[in-house]
Amino acid sequence: MPVTLGEVARIAEALPEVTVGERHGNRTWFVADKAFAWERPFSKADIKRFGEHTPPTGPILAVRVADLVEKEAVLAANPGSFFTIPHFDGYAAILIQLRKVTKRALVEALREAWRLSCPLPRRPTARRKGS
């Protein structure tokens, strides 16, 4: 059964300190004012770039990844549901076709994107003897 945007919202909004907003007219999930996931419909230019190939159908979600090396690894590990487009060349984010992704892969991608966007946790200061 395909994953819905409603399920994406429930998963993302269950993560600590997540807020929901809008960027470029699309629902976006933030942590510490950093976007970690967003709805990403194709623009007319995106569709043109597919040329003779049919663009993936259904809702599309974009999520952050650590860097371009991680992006390639994530894409290789999930070839049926994770993909990229020329607009994302050089950008540390991937696209997820919700009608094909497993819930487990989606949850992992959202949690990792959220983790990457969180501010570094504050480390407790070492106590001095006698304090």
Side-chain angles (χ1 to χ4, degrees):
M1 178 172 245
V3 175
T4 66
L5 284 168
E7 288 175 282
V8 169
R10 282 190 292 282
I11 295 163
E13 292 166 31
L15 296 167
E17 300 179 35
V18 168
T19 59
V20 182
E22 193 175 286
R23 283 191 356 192
H24 309 291
N26 299 305
R27 184 167 35 172
T28 304
W29 292 271
F30 299 88
V31 63
D33 293 324
K34 289 185 182 177
F36 69 92
W38 57 100
E39 292 179 26
R40 182 50 169 85
F42 295 127
S43 68
K44 288 179 185 176
D46 293 332
I47 292 170
K48 229 180 194 183
R49 287 185 193 108
F50 278 98
E52 295 177 7
H53 302 325
T54 303
T57 59
I60 305 296
L61 183 74
V63 297
R64 288 190 59 196
V65 293
D67 54 36
L68 297 179
V69 173
E70 180 70 12
K71 177 178 182 172
E72 292 306 315
V74 169
L75 291 171
N78 301 281
S81 56
F82 290 15
F83 66 102
T84 191
I85 57 175
H87 183 79
F88 279 64
D89 287 352
Y91 185 65
I94 58 159
L95 297 170
I96 301 173
Q97 188 177 9
L98 294 183
R99 66 180 268 270
K100 290 190 173 183
V101 72
T102 65
K103 192 167 181 181
R104 181 181 188 148
L106 175 68
V107 168
E108 288 175 14
L110 284 168
R111 284 181 180 163
E112 181 63 10
W114 172 85
R115 187 190 67 76
L116 291 167
S117 301
C118 280
L120 293 174
R122 295 180 189 207
R123 295 188 177 151
T125 53
R127 291 185 177 213
R128 287 187 256 163
K129 288 185 178 180
S131 305

